Each structure stands twice: as C-alpha cells, then as structure tokens.
Amino acid sequence: MDLGNGYGHLTYSTLVHPGDTWPEMKNSLVTYVPEVKKRFNPDAPMGVSLRLANASVEELLAKPEERTWLKKFLEDNNLYIFTVNAFPYGPFKGEIVKERVYEPDWTTEARTKYTMHIADILAEVTNQPVEPTIQTAPLAYRPKANTPEFLANFNENIYRVIAHLMNLEKKTGRRIKLAVEPEPYCFLETIPETVQWFNEKIYSLAAAERIAKLSGEPLSEVFGATRRYLGVVLDICHQSVAFESIADDIDQLSQAGIPIFKLQEAAALRVDQVDAEIVTELKKYTGTIYLSQTTELRNGVITRYLNLEDAIAAWESDPGPREWRTHFHVPVFLQDLGPFQTTRSGIDDALRIHARTPLSTHLEIETYTWDVLPEHLKTGDITEYVVRELEYVRDELHRQIAAIK
C-alpha cells in the first residue's frame, strides 16, 4: 500500500510462498496476494513484491502471453509490482538451500543476464508511477571472494547492469533500480564494508569511465546514474545479526550518499545470555534448509558461525556467558519468544527515523521462514500471519509519526 505523505509503499515478500517456477509463483499470486489485500488494504491499490527465480524469468521471456496474464492479473486485482526479489536465482523451497542461495554469484554471466532480463520484464509489466527495485545478492559468498580477479569480475558485471538500466530507461521511459543486500558471511556483510565498496568501486572516476563506455553516455550523466540506479537493501535482520546499530547504519549510508532503495523490516533471534536451557530451546531452530548465520559476542570479541548448529557445538565444547544473534527470520509482531527475544527493536528504530525523515520509497516485510518456523510461532494460517506483520509495521510507523506531531 502507499503509506501516503512521502512515507513510501509497504508490502510483504512473496518469497514466503512457493515460487521456484513460474507455475508455482503464479499459483501463489492467485491464492494468497488478493486475500492479503482483502484483509489488509481492500479499498486502495496494493503493491506486490514478486519473487522471480530464473526458471520464472525464462518462462516469462519465452511466453508473451504469460506477461500479458501478469499485467491483467495486476489490473483486475488493483495490484502493482514495485519490487522483485531476485536474490535466490534457483530453488528456495522444499530442498536444502544453504550457501547455494548465493549461486550463481555476481562474477557470472548467468547472474548478470538474469538481472537484466528481470529489468526488461519489469519495464513491460509495471505501469504505476513507482520506480521498481530489483533486490539482489551481496555480490558473493565471502569465502569465494579471495582474489583480485574475482573481485574485478563482479564489479564489472555491476557496471554492465547499471549501463543496461540507463539504456532501458532511455528506451522505455521506465526507471528500474538495482539494490544489493548485505548479508552475514558475504562479501558485503557489514554497513562499513558496504560503504567502502560504494566509495571505492562505484563512486570512483574509474567506475564512471567504465559505465560511460558501456552505456554510451557521457560522464556527466554517469555520475548521477550511479545513485539513480544502484543502491542497497537495508535488511534490519541482517545488520542486527552483525550487532550493528540500525540508527548508526542509516547514518553511515546517508553520510556516504548511498540510497536505501528498500528498507526491509525483518527480525532475527536474539539471545542476551546463552545457557543450557536456551541452547535446548534453540535446537528447535536448527536443521533447516536455510543458512542460520550466528554472530557471537563474548568478552568483547565477535565470532561468526555459518550456522546456528556450529555456534551450539562451540558452546557445548566450551560453555560460558556470551550473546548470540542468529539469522533466522521470525515474526515481526513478536518481541518475546519465551526463553529469548528478537531484534525487533531495530525495526522500531528504523521506523522512528523514517517517520522523521523518510528513508526509502520501498518498505517490505521479509519473513520467508514460514515453512521452517516452530509450530508455536505459526499464528493462524499464512495469510493471517502475513497480515499481522503488515499491520504491525503500518501501525508502528503511524505511532512514530504521531509521536513527532
């Protein structure tokens, strides 16, 4: 929905639904999205965050009738696409994903062409006065990003996509924007690392000269284009897992002039004091198909684990006081999960800042973990769960706005 008064558009990510192929995504659109709209925003247009795996992209490109169907479905249901989740390229449901979620990474032609094709599809199927965003992976899985050649390859491919987006707008009049999403254990993990990459590899003269050559546009156009077409997804869950202050993150991005193209309201597991009882309870959240990157703070020292199971094994071999933050998306309307908490306070902090000075035109809730949540956290059916999350963010933002007045 359009929140009005410059506060942007709010929706939820359809990554929560089955959508590894176009028939699956199409069925999810028909089954869930109109029902969510009916319960949450029945009387006005509502935005859609569309998950598009590469299999869906290939089918949409090959079948014009499917693109026609999508446009008509949106029009008939008073919906509009304003963002696409293009982080997972391949399957994301029903099988082990783990670090495969980052493949193919940004060094590859496959990831580059996939992103360009999504931009082309968006330029055709979107007709609202909103600039759609494409959410993408944080360049590469960190253990792979270990040579200058590797790093140069993904920079070059980002430049190619910026040039493509520039030319696409010139041809169609539609501006599509790319938003990279920092995540634990990736090349772009922390906000300081992200700011450094933008300053050194995106906002440099060398980058502008390369994009100018790729796009055929003069430097005077490219200097502005890097901010018009490339920004970040600030996923509050991810940065909270890194023990970052969300207010500080926002300040650093703003000071560097890096646009937040999507403000993603998501919450992680938070354990302020690990003990045997909590470890027993946390085991309910292990063994899923997704990564559960866990950051530990112990005696002032940060230690990172790829999965919650690894952190638990380290605790069992050497028990003792420590704090944990775990990348396991939990419902944003819950603060207390019994023996431990969530990082929802980071969402509240971001909404407080957004209420004062809007940060982004795109606000999105991304709790894709319905399929692996412990049963006691599944409130009602999936539609009710999604609506409760949307209501929480909308109402909290309105509360923050009222507090300012």
Side-chain angles (χ1 to χ4, degrees):
M1 62 181 293
D2 187 345
L3 294 163
N5 299 313
Y7 288 108
H9 301 254
L10 170 65
T11 195
Y12 79 102
S13 175
T14 52
L15 194 62
V16 70
H17 304 308
D20 289 341
T21 65
W22 179 239
E24 286 180 350
M25 191 70 255
K26 189 174 178 180
N27 182 65
S28 290
L29 285 174
V30 172
T31 303
Y32 300 110
V33 177
E35 185 62 26
V36 170
K37 182 182 185 304
K38 178 182 175 182
R39 298 193 199 184
F40 177 64
N41 190 41
D43 301 322
M46 180 169 163
V48 176
S49 168
L50 181 63
R51 188 261 164 130
L52 284 181
N54 186 60
S56 296
V57 171
E58 289 181 348
E59 186 157 355
L60 285 168
L61 288 175
K63 298 179 179 178
E65 66 273 18
E66 292 300 323
R67 302 196 299 275
T68 299
W69 176 89
L70 179 56
K71 290 177 70 173
K72 187 173 188 306
F73 169 78
L74 295 169
E75 291 167 3
D76 289 349
N77 290 277
N78 206 11
L79 299 166
Y80 58 97
I81 297 171
F82 72 86
T83 185
V84 164
N85 191 320
F87 192 133
Y89 175 99
F92 195 69
K93 297 289 181 181
E95 61 183 79
I96 294 175
V97 181
K98 299 294 185 180
E99 56 266 40
R100 285 196 301 121
V101 73
Y102 309 121
E103 302 296 336
D105 60 40
W106 270 99
T107 65
T108 65
E109 188 69 9
R111 173 68 68 171
T112 307
K113 288 295 188 183
Y114 162 65
T115 308
M116 291 178 177
H117 290 154
I118 289 174
D120 296 341
I121 291 168
L122 280 173
E124 179 179 341
V125 304
T126 56
N127 56 9
Q128 292 285 328
V130 61
E131 296 173 354
T133 52
I134 301 172
Q135 174 180 343
T136 193
L139 304 182
Y141 182 49
R142 184 182 287 274
K144 291 181 61 178
N146 53 16
T147 68
E149 294 77 18
F150 189 96
L151 305 184
N153 282 342
F154 63 57
N155 291 332
E156 171 70 7
N157 288 334
I158 291 289
Y159 302 155
R160 289 173 59 199
V161 171
I162 293 172
H164 182 80
L165 297 177
M166 293 174 68
N167 289 327
L168 184 64
E169 182 175 7
K170 196 172 183 179
K171 181 172 69 175
T172 67
R174 299 293 292 152
R175 180 176 298 174
I176 315 296
K177 302 183 289 190
L178 180 65
V180 294
E181 180 183 9
E183 177 168 315
Y185 247 88
C186 293
F187 179 77
L188 297 182
E189 177 171 351
T190 69
I191 293 304
E193 288 171 342
T194 303
V195 169
Q196 181 180 1
W197 179 71
F198 269 85
N199 284 336
E200 293 179 359
K201 303 302 180 183
I202 301 301
Y203 297 156
S204 67
L205 177 58
E209 289 175 339
R210 182 60 183 151
I211 296 167
K213 184 173 182 180
L214 289 166
S215 66
E217 295 293 326
L219 277 174
S220 58
E221 293 300 311
V222 172
F223 288 135
T226 53
R227 285 182 169 86
R228 288 196 302 273
Y229 299 102
L230 184 68
V232 298
V233 176
L234 181 59
D235 186 311
I236 295 165
C237 168
H238 292 173
Q239 305 321 128
S240 298
V241 167
F243 281 91
E244 294 180 11
S245 159
I246 301 303
D248 288 348
D249 286 345
I250 291 168
D251 183 63
Q252 289 179 63
L253 292 168
S254 300
Q255 292 287 347
I258 299 170
I260 300 171
F261 283 159
K262 188 188 291 187
L263 185 62
Q264 205 160 62
E265 290 75 33
L269 292 174
R270 188 188 101 218
V271 179
D272 293 337
Q273 189 67 268
V274 180
D275 59 28
E277 179 185 352
I278 281 176
V279 166
T280 298
E281 186 68 21
L282 279 172
K283 288 181 179 179
K284 296 177 182 177
Y285 297 83
T286 63
T288 78
I289 62 176
Y290 307 117
L291 285 175
S292 53
Q293 302 97 313
T294 298
T295 307
E296 176 180 283
L297 179 61
R298 185 182 191 190
N299 298 324
V301 177
I302 291 284
T303 303
R304 293 176 172 84
Y305 299 96
L306 184 58
N307 283 291
L308 177 57
E309 295 93 316
D310 305 324
I312 289 174
W315 182 88
E316 289 177 335
S317 66
D318 181 23
R322 66 201 70 185
E323 298 177 55
W324 281 345
R325 304 287 184 272
T326 295
H327 179 212
F328 191 113
H329 289 228
V330 290
V332 301
F333 51 80
L334 295 177
Q335 174 68 33
D336 190 334
L337 297 181
F340 40 82
Q341 306 293 306
T342 79
T343 61
R344 193 182 73 183
S345 61
I347 296 174
D348 298 345
D349 290 345
L351 293 176
R352 186 177 305 113
I353 297 168
H354 185 73
R356 187 172 64 247
T357 304
L359 301 167
S360 178
T361 57
H362 293 182
L363 281 70
E364 179 192 72
I365 298 165
E366 190 197 64
T367 311
Y368 58 78
T369 47
W370 171 266
D371 51 335
V372 297
L373 279 177
E375 288 301 318
H376 71 282
L377 296 184
K378 293 184 177 181
T379 305
D381 61 18
I382 191 169
T383 304
E384 180 183 343
Y385 166 84
V386 166
V387 169
R388 285 192 67 186
E389 292 205 299
L390 287 165
E391 288 174 340
Y392 176 81
V393 171
R394 179 199 61 195
D395 295 348
E396 177 62 19
L397 178 60
H398 288 168
R399 191 181 72 80
Q400 299 287 1
I401 294 168
I404 293 170
K405 295 177 180 179

